[in-house]
Amino acid sequence: MKKVVAATFQVKEALAKDVGRAVCRLDPGEMQNLGFAPGQIVLIHGPRKTPARIMPSYPEDRGKKIVQIDGITRENAEVGLDEKVQIESVQAGQASKIVLLPLTGTGLSQKEDSRYLGSLIDGLPVTAGDRIRANLFGTGTAEFKVVETVPRGVVLVNTGATIRVETNEQGGKKAARIAYEDIGGLGLQVERIREMIELPLRFPQIFERLGIEAPKGVLLHGPPGTGKTLTARAVANETDVYFTHISGPEVIGKFYGESEGRLRRVFEEAEANAPAIIFIDEIDAIAPKREDMGGEKQVERRVVAQLLALLDGLKSRGQVIVIGATNLPNTLDPALRRPGRFDREILIPIPDKNARYDILQIHTRGMPLADNVDLKKLAEITHGFVGADLQAFAREAAMLALRRILPDIDFSRPEISYDLAMGLTISMADFLSAMKDVEPSAIREVFVEVPNVAWHHVGGLEAVKEELEEAVVWPLKFAEVFRETKTRPPKGVLLYGVPGTGKTLLAKALATESEVNFIAVKGPELISQYIGESERAVREVFKKARQAAPTILFLDEIDSLVPKRSGELSGERVVERVISQLLNEMDGIEELQGVLVLAATNRLDLIEPALLRSGRFDLLLEIPVPDQNARESIFAIHTEQMPLGESISLSELAEKTAGMSGADIAFICRRASILAIRGYIKKLSLKKEREFFADNALKTSISVTTEHFNAAIALLADMLAERKHMVR
């Protein structure tokens, strides 16, 4: 067959779902011009040739003269991102035999597992010397090198081919290679890191021509689990330069001068192997603020001074890039954070909805997902989850699926049967169940498990529900409409009314219906006896809420936290400072985005007036005492599972409880049920009681009658009258 050499294309990153599939994506127009059909096998020309299956690119990537290939294919072709390659058509035969050398741990046996491995890489175009990846059941991602193919040249793997896996004693000690496609949701951050690191290492002459010094350091900071270390590993693999990694605490030694000597040796070794990258993880452990150190911490002071000198001292460190990572950037010594040492500080943020979708695609691309799994829906409901949480989330879902086949596993055999492994699937129910076992790291300290309370569990209050839905749910579900109309959603909603009308219950239902993070704060727990601690607690709560946005921050009994300022000077004025801090957080210089402050009180007259103005609490919603219809619906909710007598009329009960709150009605229903149980138990002897439980006749034998409800209403009326008398 005559080969057709294609035009030159620029290499770009592949889609997350294409990783490991040997897929290259081209503009459909370019494919048509070159005579390529979708699914055709082509040969990619870099310093080395490697095969791939050509597929059309998506609309947003067309017209750019690019080819999208993953990190494995780029390594096989020995090219990097933004480099140029040529493409030609090639004739691929069917493989009859393939010999693989494991580059990472596999745990494979030679019998049924080789058949299982063949099913995973079925249809993959390979040639001898290529690196391939497979997502194995139970051991995760494994990589292999193709040692031999029969016939030689470009072949397609098929289930009929004989696959032999050679033993490799060193294979199990290596981890899978990390590429840029293994980082989800950090496209902008990775691009900024690449221009700071790859350009100076690969094209230093550009900076010489511009007459400027190349950047020498990047500081990655952000919450734990967002991908700082993963990003550094990907950069090291993609740049293909000398890479050395040190953890902050391992530098410290017990002998005088030992710690500084270790640091110097790391930099000297990197200079000897330049171009090089030094990655310092948890850099805050060796370079904290010197002014905060006591006199006994001389070793730490010397280590900080040594690190500063190595980063930007009298001696040039040459082509050595330093990447630092920390989740506590404000604890670093200020001298470390100036240009010349760390030229750029890049925040690795908590992923938003789109980023979570990208991350879930990465962690589930090798999983046997059922058809009902909706990753976009899962991305929408995993607010506050960082990359590490989403990885654990996917793993927990897989473990739940594995639990289903445990009874069928023969533990006397060293491997799981091929048919059992291939029949395993992970369903949407597995993912939803896994959410109960994984807490979002971003708000772990203040995370609240929201009870399963929906709108239909709240009786009446239809107008209030509608207002809350418009204020909270609409800005989340119809964010594009709000942006288009330049409409700012409310920052705060204050629910007020007499006790027992359902303010806290509404907050729970709102958190459930909106499917956002819910942080509940009790006013007194923010107050501390130490000066400055109370204000810091308020700042930390709002900081966590911003990081995990969209978030509902619920302040129950807010009158205890922000009472009216009296104007009198007190000893420490803790309350006044807390009020000022809360006012600034809600409507200060730093804008509050993605956070709705929801508060509840039964004493609106005691709250600081400055908090009640528009821009802070935009909506003040009174929760009234329920009317006749509302009381009837509340009775219906609380008696839904009760064995009611035939004579019960909920409308009559609603009439008898005029002026009572929802909490009072809940008490009446609970008390009536207890009275019914009391009367039933008195009628039974121990023997009969056993018979009833044995025959499961209890549910049909007991009922809550009108007399029980009347007695409960009379009891509550007496209690309310006694309370009024005590107050007087």
Side-chain angles (χ1 to χ4, degrees):
M1 180 178 176
K2 184 180 178 182
K3 294 183 179 180
V4 180
V5 178
T8 303
F9 296 95
Q10 190 177 30
V11 175
K12 290 294 181 183
E13 296 157 87
L15 304 177
K17 64 180 181 181
D18 289 340
V19 173
R21 296 172 54 207
V23 168
C24 73
R25 291 191 181 270
L26 275 184
D27 186 330
E30 297 282 358
M31 289 173 58
Q32 188 174 3
N33 293 338
L34 298 167
F36 293 148
Q40 181 179 337
I41 306 303
V42 295
L43 206 58
I44 298 176
H45 281 255
R48 183 179 175 277
K49 297 179 182 180
T50 189
R53 189 181 299 275
I54 197 163
M55 296 294 287
S57 60
Y58 285 86
E60 59 269 20
D61 297 315
R62 295 173 185 173
K64 300 178 181 178
K65 204 73 175 178
I66 62 172
V67 58
Q68 294 173 287
I69 53 178
D70 66 6
I72 300 170
T73 307
R74 293 198 298 272
E75 184 183 2
N76 289 336
E78 297 180 1
V79 295
L81 289 176
D82 299 323
E83 292 185 14
K84 302 294 178 71
V85 295
Q86 285 188 320
I87 301 175
E88 68 176 8
S89 58
V90 67
Q91 188 68 36
Q94 293 294 325
S96 59
K97 179 183 176 182
I98 296 177
V99 180
L100 300 176
L101 177 71
L103 301 176
T104 59
T106 66
L108 287 173
S109 68
Q110 282 295 321
K111 298 179 182 178
E112 288 191 332
D113 279 344
S114 60
R115 186 159 61 109
Y116 169 59
L117 176 60
S119 67
L120 294 178
I121 60 175
D122 183 29
L124 200 69
V126 297
T127 187
D130 279 352
R131 186 184 183 114
I132 63 172
R133 177 182 293 183
N135 293 287
L136 301 177
F137 172 75
T139 57
T141 299
E143 294 189 359
F144 303 86
K145 182 179 180 181
V146 180
V147 178
E148 180 186 352
T149 66
V150 179
R152 294 184 179 181
V154 178
V155 295
L156 288 173
V157 182
N158 59 83
T159 52
T162 302
I163 297 179
R164 183 162 64 89
V165 180
E166 292 188 346
T167 55
N168 183 4
E169 295 180 357
Q170 299 299 318
K173 299 181 181 180
K174 297 181 181 180
R177 181 183 172 92
I178 303 296
Y180 288 137
E181 289 86 3
D182 297 313
I183 304 173
L186 294 175
L188 181 61
Q189 287 78 11
V190 169
E191 186 177 336
R192 297 181 66 199
I193 293 168
R194 285 187 59 217
E195 70 184 27
M196 288 289 293
I197 295 174
E198 286 192 24
L199 285 177
L201 292 179
R202 294 171 62 183
F203 308 109
Q205 63 273 16
I206 295 178
F207 294 90
E208 294 173 6
R209 177 69 183 87
L210 292 172
I212 59 173
E213 189 175 348
K216 292 295 180 69
V218 177
L219 178 65
L220 308 179
H221 64 94
T226 48
K228 301 181 291 294
T229 305
L230 183 72
T231 303
R233 289 171 60 191
V235 169
N237 286 333
E238 293 280 359
T239 49
D240 201 23
V241 297
Y242 178 81
F243 180 83
T244 184
H245 166 271
I246 57 174
S247 180
E250 70 186 21
V251 172
I252 304 299
K254 63 180 180 179
F255 298 112
Y256 190 88
E258 183 181 4
S259 305
E260 303 92 295
R262 289 180 180 177
L263 264 182
R264 285 195 299 272
R265 282 195 296 274
V266 169
F267 276 80
E268 287 167 1
E269 188 177 348
E271 288 175 26
N273 293 277
I277 294 174
I278 299 175
F279 177 53
I280 308 177
D281 206 359
E282 306 298 342
I283 193 173
D284 52 278
I286 60 170
K289 291 180 179 177
R290 285 172 287 182
E291 63 265 26
D292 294 342
M293 297 181 191
E296 72 281 359
K297 295 189 176 180
Q298 294 300 322
V299 175
E300 287 84 349
R301 287 176 182 271
R302 294 198 307 271
V303 170
V304 175
Q306 180 67 75
L307 182 61
L308 295 175
L310 290 169
L311 288 173
D312 188 28
L314 292 175
K315 180 185 175 184
S316 173
R317 67 174 190 262
Q319 258 194 302
V320 176
I321 302 285
V322 179
I323 304 176
T326 179
N327 56 348
L328 298 169
N330 294 328
T331 64
L332 291 179
D333 193 275
L336 198 69
R337 300 178 67 181
R338 71 160 176 82
R341 285 166 180 153
F342 285 117
D343 298 279
R344 182 173 288 178
E345 296 184 6
I346 298 176
L347 171 65
I348 309 297
I350 292 173
D352 59 13
K353 180 176 68 175
N354 295 329
R356 290 195 297 271
Y357 177 59
D358 290 342
I359 296 169
L360 283 172
Q361 281 187 306
I362 290 170
H363 291 304
T364 60
R365 63 188 170 205
M367 289 183 176
L369 299 180
D371 294 336
N372 66 343
V373 174
D374 186 351
L375 294 182
K376 287 191 175 179
K377 177 64 177 176
L378 293 174
E380 289 174 1
I381 63 177
T382 48
H383 300 292
F385 279 57
V386 297
D389 296 330
L390 293 170
Q391 183 179 17
F393 174 50
R395 184 170 59 245
E396 285 297 327
M399 292 304 295
L400 288 171
L402 177 62
R403 216 167 285 163
R404 286 198 298 272
I405 68 165
L406 280 179
D408 301 323
I409 295 177
D410 184 0
F411 287 93
S412 63
R413 297 179 60 192
E415 69 275 338
I416 295 175
S417 72
Y418 170 76
D419 295 329
L420 192 61
M422 292 305 294
L424 192 65
T425 57
I426 304 169
S427 67
M428 189 70 171
D430 294 325
F431 281 102
L432 296 177
S433 298
M435 283 198 69
K436 301 173 185 176
D437 299 323
V438 183
E439 293 181 0
S441 294
I443 54 172
R444 189 179 296 276
E445 297 90 344
V446 289
F447 178 71
V448 176
E449 185 70 37
V450 180
N452 190 20
V453 179
W455 285 137
H456 65 268
H457 292 131
V458 183
L461 303 177
E462 300 304 325
V464 176
K465 292 179 191 174
E466 189 176 340
E467 286 274 6
L468 288 174
E469 189 160 2
E470 292 176 1
V472 182
V473 181
W474 284 11
L476 297 173
K477 290 188 175 178
F478 310 109
E480 192 61 39
V481 178
F482 278 76
R483 281 194 294 269
E484 188 67 28
T485 57
K486 302 293 188 292
T487 303
R488 180 182 65 80
K491 285 184 182 177
V493 178
L494 178 63
L495 308 177
Y496 67 96
V498 297
T501 48
K503 299 181 291 294
T504 306
L505 188 68
L506 272 171
K508 293 176 182 178
L510 184 62
T512 304
E513 292 290 337
S514 59
E515 296 180 338
V516 302
N517 289 318
F518 186 73
I519 299 175
V521 178
K522 303 173 188 68
E525 70 186 14
L526 295 178
I527 305 299
S528 171
Q529 62 178 329
Y530 300 106
I531 295 177
E533 283 299 305
S534 302
E535 304 90 292
R536 188 187 66 81
V538 174
R539 282 197 307 274
E540 285 299 315
V541 167
F542 274 86
K543 179 183 176 183
K544 292 287 183 185
R546 284 191 186 93
Q547 286 181 341
T551 308
I552 294 175
L553 181 58
F554 179 51
L555 306 174
D556 206 359
E557 304 297 342
I558 193 175
D559 50 278
S560 65
L561 183 65
V562 285
K564 285 183 178 178
R565 289 179 280 195
S566 62
E568 299 177 4
L569 291 176
S570 58
E572 295 177 351
R573 303 188 65 181
V574 175
V575 174
E576 285 86 348
R577 294 199 304 272
V578 169
I579 293 172
S580 299
Q581 184 68 50
L582 188 62
L583 295 176
N584 279 320
E585 292 291 347
M586 289 195 68
D587 189 29
I589 293 177
E590 186 179 359
E591 189 174 356
L592 191 65
Q593 290 186 340
V595 179
L596 176 90
V597 182
L598 182 66
T601 181
N602 52 14
R603 292 297 304 272
L604 188 63
D605 56 308
L606 296 182
I607 295 178
E608 168 59 35
L611 201 67
L612 302 179
R613 72 161 176 82
S614 298
R616 286 171 179 147
F617 282 110
D618 298 278
L619 283 179
L620 302 180
L621 299 178
E622 182 179 6
I623 312 301
V625 175
D627 58 14
Q628 168 80 18
N629 293 331
R631 290 196 300 277
E632 187 173 342
S633 65
I634 295 171
F635 268 113
I637 290 168
H638 289 294
T639 60
E640 186 178 5
Q641 302 295 329
M642 276 189 188
L644 297 178
E646 295 180 359
S647 61
I648 292 289
S649 171
L650 297 184
S651 61
E652 289 180 7
L653 292 176
E655 288 178 7
K656 293 176 183 178
T657 52
M660 293 186 181
S661 67
D664 295 333
I665 294 172
F667 171 82
I668 290 169
C669 295
R670 189 166 56 250
R671 188 66 187 176
S673 183
I674 290 174
L675 291 173
I677 293 171
R678 180 188 297 173
Y680 177 77
I681 291 176
K682 281 183 180 179
K683 294 178 182 178
L684 294 177
S685 65
L686 183 61
K687 182 178 178 182
K688 286 184 179 180
E689 183 180 351
R690 286 174 179 167
E691 289 174 0
F692 270 100
F693 279 108
D695 296 338
N696 198 22
L698 177 64
K699 190 171 182 181
T700 59
S701 303
I702 189 170
S703 64
V704 186
T705 64
T706 305
E707 288 74 20
H708 295 133
F709 277 100
N710 289 338
I713 292 170
L715 176 63
L716 181 61
D718 292 341
M719 290 172 60
L720 293 175
E722 187 177 348
R723 286 175 193 167
K724 287 182 180 178
H725 178 71
M726 291 175 63
V727 170
R728 288 174 185 170

